[in-house]
Amino acid sequence: MSLSVLSRKEKEKVIRRLLIQAPPGEFVNAFDDLCLLIRDEKLMHHQGECAGHQHCQKYSVPLCIDGNPVLLSHHNVLGDFRFFDYQSKLSFKFDLLQNQLKDIQSHGIIRNETEYLRNVVLCALKLYVNDHYPAGNCNVLRKTVKNKEFLIACIEDHSYETRDCWNGLWKSKWIFQINPFLTQVTGRIFVQAHFFKAVNLHIEISKDLKESLEVVNQAQLALNFARLVEEQENIFQAAVLEELQELSNEALRKILRRDLPVTRTLIDWQRILSDLNLVMYPKLGYVIYSRSVLCNWII
């Protein structure tokens, strides 16, 4: 169906859905392409703002405020397209299309024991992220639900190589309640890659997990939590690499009717030429293969 026959509400729904589906790092590209099709600047700007806000939450878009990394997520949303940063104690709007902070305001927080623990956990998590990620970002948020205090730790690292026709994102989220003796950590690790050279290939892999942590004191809790994240993410990474290798091998087996041998040994071409009764032309310096023999070897 042509866009010209859609109502305005239908257009808004289609535009928003297409923009939200944009892979990490490609939102602006998708927006620019849609602008060429829609040719309605006002409509595109409004839908771009709405979809951009959701895109930031979905993929934990990183910012830098006062030299500190901030990861945007639905956990630090205040409403009216505003986000909140615990470190700088600022609330703001973020224009993804312009990559710009807007309407920055002060926003106070309650200083209590949970806030102190949040800072301790953030310090431990930063040590882990700096040691394992080339350009990783992390943030720790706090949330109160039904008078229960929770900490939410977020990790993000990405590599957007549009010129080389690929983009990749790794992000994880870890939530645990502030309990006296034992707490349960709920985690989710998510990886997405997009390859668009010669083929358009999307890969999404995620894993949900639950682990328990003993609570001795705040410092020990922070260290144990960082170790738990490191252990689980290392296990996940190893499993992903193994799965991708198996997938690659399986795909090749479907393309090729039989596996080509890889022996890592020298090949005795003279013996092979003799066995196949190939015709040699020394002056020309190459071998003419029988079409039937060559085709049979390839197939």
Side-chain angles (χ1 to χ4, degrees), residues 194-244:
H194 180 208
F195 303 89
F196 44 97
K197 185 175 183 179
V199 296
N200 187 17
L201 176 64
H202 293 264
I203 298 175
E204 288 189 14
I205 307 172
S206 63
K207 181 182 181 181
D208 297 317
L209 43 86
K210 290 183 179 180
E211 296 290 337
S212 295
L213 270 184
E214 185 178 357
V215 180
V216 179
N217 54 52
Q218 292 185 341
Q220 193 62 43
L221 173 61
L223 290 174
N224 289 343
F225 171 71
R227 291 194 191 103
L228 170 66
V229 173
E230 178 179 15
E231 178 183 351
Q232 294 301 323
E233 291 197 344
N234 285 343
I235 293 173
F236 176 77
Q237 180 182 359
V240 168
L241 293 176
E242 182 178 350
E243 189 70 23
L244 288 177

Side-chain angles (χ1 to χ4, degrees), residues 64-295:
C64 188
I65 299 178
D66 294 338
N68 295 312
V70 180
L71 298 180
L72 304 182
S73 71
H74 70 273
H75 295 292
N76 56 346
V77 169
L78 295 177
D80 192 27
F81 300 111
R82 300 187 67 81
F83 293 96
F84 171 63
D85 172 38
Y86 278 88
Q87 290 298 106
S88 62
K89 304 175 187 62
L90 296 174
S91 70
F92 53 87
K93 291 183 178 181
F94 178 63
D95 189 336
L96 181 58
L97 295 172
Q98 301 296 326
N99 193 29
Q100 184 179 11
L101 294 175
K102 294 182 176 180
D103 194 14
I104 302 174
Q105 299 176 9
S106 296
H107 191 93
I109 61 173
I110 299 175
R111 293 280 184 179
N112 57 11
E113 192 173 343
T114 303
E115 178 60 20
Y116 176 76
L117 176 60
R118 186 192 69 80
N119 281 288
V120 175
V121 171
L122 178 60
C123 290
L125 196 65
K126 279 183 177 179
L127 292 175
Y128 160 67
V129 171
N130 292 339
D131 195 39
H132 286 74
Y133 292 88
N137 300 287
C138 66
N139 210 356
V140 178
L141 314 171
R142 48 182 282 205
K143 206 160 192 175
T144 303
V145 180
K146 296 181 179 179
N147 297 323
K148 295 180 180 179
E149 295 262 34
F150 292 85
L151 290 184
I152 304 107
C154 303
I155 298 174
E156 182 271 352
D157 195 11
H158 65 264
S159 184
Y160 300 148
E161 303 291 342
T162 305
R163 290 183 179 179
D164 293 332
C165 301
W166 67 269
N167 291 316
L169 169 74
W170 171 298
K171 73 185 187 79
S172 64
K173 178 178 67 175
W174 308 85
I175 303 174
F176 62 91
Q177 186 180 343
I178 312 302
N179 288 332
F181 305 108
L182 190 69
T183 185
Q184 186 176 68
V185 180
T186 303
R188 179 175 177 80
I189 309 173
F190 174 85
V191 173
Q192 179 165 347
H194 180 208
F195 303 89
F196 44 97
K197 185 175 183 179
V199 296
N200 187 17
L201 176 64
H202 293 264
I203 298 175
E204 288 189 14
I205 307 172
S206 63
K207 181 182 181 181
D208 297 317
L209 43 86
K210 290 183 179 180
E211 296 290 337
S212 295
L213 270 184
E214 185 178 357
V215 180
V216 179
N217 54 52
Q218 292 185 341
Q220 193 62 43
L221 173 61
L223 290 174
N224 289 343
F225 171 71
R227 291 194 191 103
L228 170 66
V229 173
E230 178 179 15
E231 178 183 351
Q232 294 301 323
E233 291 197 344
N234 285 343
I235 293 173
F236 176 77
Q237 180 182 359
V240 168
L241 293 176
E242 182 178 350
E243 189 70 23
L244 288 177
Q245 184 62 46
E246 291 182 2
L247 176 64
S248 177
N249 293 338
E250 182 66 23
L252 286 175
R253 279 195 290 270
K254 289 181 179 179
I255 295 173
L256 300 174
R257 290 183 59 184
R258 67 169 181 250
D259 293 334
L260 299 180
V262 180
T263 62
R264 298 183 183 276
T265 58
L266 295 175
I267 299 176
D268 188 351
W269 292 108
Q270 293 300 326
R271 183 181 62 80
I272 294 175
L273 294 175
S274 176
D275 291 344
L276 294 177
N277 296 318
L278 300 176
V279 180
M280 298 292 297
Y281 289 84
K283 283 187 178 181
L284 297 178
Y286 62 86
V287 182
I288 296 180
Y289 289 81
S290 162
R291 179 176 294 182
S292 61
V293 172
L294 181 62
C295 291

